[in-house]
Amino acid sequence: MRVLVTGASGQLAHAIRQVWSDHDLVLPEEAILDLSQQSAIHSVVSSVRPEVVINCGAFTQVDRCESEPELAQEINATAVGWLAEACEAQKAMLIQISTDYVFDGTGTRPYREDDPTNPVSVYGRTKLEGERQAARCSRHLIARTSWLYDAWGKNFLNTMLNAAAQGRVLRVVDDQRGAPTTCRALARQLKVAAEQGWQGLVNTTCAGETTWHGFAQAIFKGRGIAADLHPCTTADYPTPAQRPAYSVLDGAHRRSLGPDLMPEWEAALREVIQRPVL
C-alpha cells in the first residue's frame, strides 16, 4: 500500500516508519505537509495519491491548548476535515488518531466506543471534533488511544528518566487512571487494521490500567533506578487543563474485529526498556 503519514517528526510517525517498512511510506516534512494550510494538504494528497493516510499530526500540548484554542481547533479539527476531503477525492482511507480525553473521566468502568463523550479540556473538545471531521471520509478508521510514549520522543517515560538522572524529587499524580500505550504497539495494530480494512471507531490502547505514579514506579523498577518518587493528587498539581480522572478504554470491540496486537501495558513497557531501538 502507498501510505501518507502526517506529523512526520513525531513519536508515532517514527514507530510507523519502522513497523510499516514493507509498505510504500511517504512522510513529508511538516513544512511541506502543513496542517494549517488547506492548499498544502490537498496538494500533497493529490500528488502522492495514497491508498491510506495516517494523521499523526496534532496539537498535543494539553495545557497550551487552553491558552491557544484557535490553533488547537485548526490543527486538531479543521485540518482533519481538509484531510477527509482530500482522502475522499482520492478514495483513500483516513486513519485518524484520537484520544481518551474525549471523556470526562467520571466513569467507573472502561469506556466503550459507543459511550457518551464529554471532554473537559480544549484538547479533548478539539480532538472530538476531529473525530467528527474524519468520519466525513467514506473510508475512515478513528483510533482512540491514550498516554502514548516510547523510547524516543517527548513523553512521560523520557521526562521521568531525565528528571531522575538529575536527582530531582519527583511528585507524580496518583489519582488519574489510564493505560500507558507504546507507539510501536499502536503502529503494529494500525498496520493490521489497515491491511484488513477495519473501519469506524476503535479503541487502541494497551491492556490493563494504572496511574501516572504507578507508571513511573514501573519505569524506575524496569530500569533499576532508585528514584526519589512520591505520589500526589491532582489537586496538589494544578494545571491549566483539566484531565479525566479515569480514562481507561475497553478493547472488546477491537478484539472482535481481528488480531489484537495491544499487549498488557507492563509487557509493552518491558519491551521498550529491553529493546529501545526497533
Side-chain angles (χ1 to χ4, degrees):
M1 288 187 297
R2 190 161 177 79
V3 182
L4 175 65
V5 183
T6 73
S9 67
Q11 60 176 353
L12 179 55
H14 179 78
I16 290 170
R17 186 181 285 109
Q18 305 303 314
V19 171
W20 291 55
S21 58
D22 56 338
H23 289 290
D24 181 11
L25 293 177
V26 181
L27 296 98
E29 294 181 5
E30 279 129 338
I32 296 173
L33 182 47
D34 183 349
L35 293 181
S36 69
Q37 300 295 321
Q38 182 179 17
S39 59
I41 290 173
H42 281 270
S43 174
V44 171
V45 173
S46 63
S47 63
V48 172
R49 300 183 65 83
E51 296 166 76
V52 175
V53 173
I54 309 175
N55 184 25
C56 298
F59 187 10
T60 59
Q61 298 174 58
V62 177
D63 289 323
R64 190 178 156 200
C65 286
E66 296 295 315
S67 59
E68 300 183 59
E70 295 85 4
L71 180 59
Q73 174 69 22
E74 182 177 52
I75 301 301
N76 293 341
T78 305
V80 184
W82 294 336
L83 280 168
E85 293 169 357
C87 287
E88 189 73 7
Q90 297 296 327
K91 295 183 171 54
M93 167 181 262
L94 174 60
I95 298 179
Q96 169 68 11
I97 309 302
S98 193
T99 174
D100 55 326
Y101 279 32
V102 299
F103 296 107
D104 59 17
T106 60
T108 56
R109 57 147 178 84
Y111 287 99
R112 297 187 292 262
E113 287 84 351
D114 58 355
D115 282 328
T117 53
N118 186 34
V120 292
S121 65
V122 170
Y123 174 70
R125 288 193 291 273
T126 57
K127 290 295 286 184
L128 180 59
E129 179 59 27
E131 291 187 1
R132 294 169 179 147
Q133 293 296 325
R136 293 170 53 197
C137 182
S138 300
R139 297 175 58 223
H140 69 269
L141 177 68
I142 299 164
R144 283 184 184 155
T145 194
S146 68
W147 299 21
L148 273 183
Y149 75 100
D150 218 295
W152 50 81
K154 295 180 180 180
N155 53 57
F156 183 80
L157 169 81
N158 289 323
T159 296
M160 290 294 103
L161 292 176
N162 291 337
Q166 297 168 17
R168 290 167 49 190
V169 176
L170 298 173
R171 291 169 56 80
V172 179
V173 171
D174 200 30
D175 59 358
Q176 295 174 20
R177 302 192 69 81
T181 299
T182 61
C183 292
R184 64 187 72 185
L186 178 57
R188 291 167 185 150
Q189 189 66 75
L190 293 177
K191 183 172 182 286
V192 166
E195 290 170 347
Q196 297 193 352
W198 296 11
Q199 296 194 50
L201 175 60
V202 183
N203 291 336
T204 51
T205 62
C206 285
E209 62 183 77
T210 188
T211 66
W212 290 109
H213 179 264
F215 186 20
Q217 282 184 312
I219 290 168
F220 295 134
K221 181 179 179 181
R223 287 289 299 269
I225 296 172
D228 192 358
L229 175 67
H230 306 273
C232 70
T233 67
T234 299
D236 294 329
Y237 189 68
T239 56
Q242 183 179 344
R243 269 78 168 169
Y246 182 88
S247 60
V248 181
L249 303 182
D250 189 299
H253 176 55
R254 178 184 72 248
R255 291 189 289 273
S256 74
L257 293 174
D260 180 12
L261 303 184
M262 305 305 295
E264 291 286 336
W265 74 266
E266 298 98 330
L269 175 60
R270 284 194 297 272
E271 181 191 5
V272 168
I273 291 171
Q274 295 168 6
R275 189 186 171 203
V277 178
L278 284 176

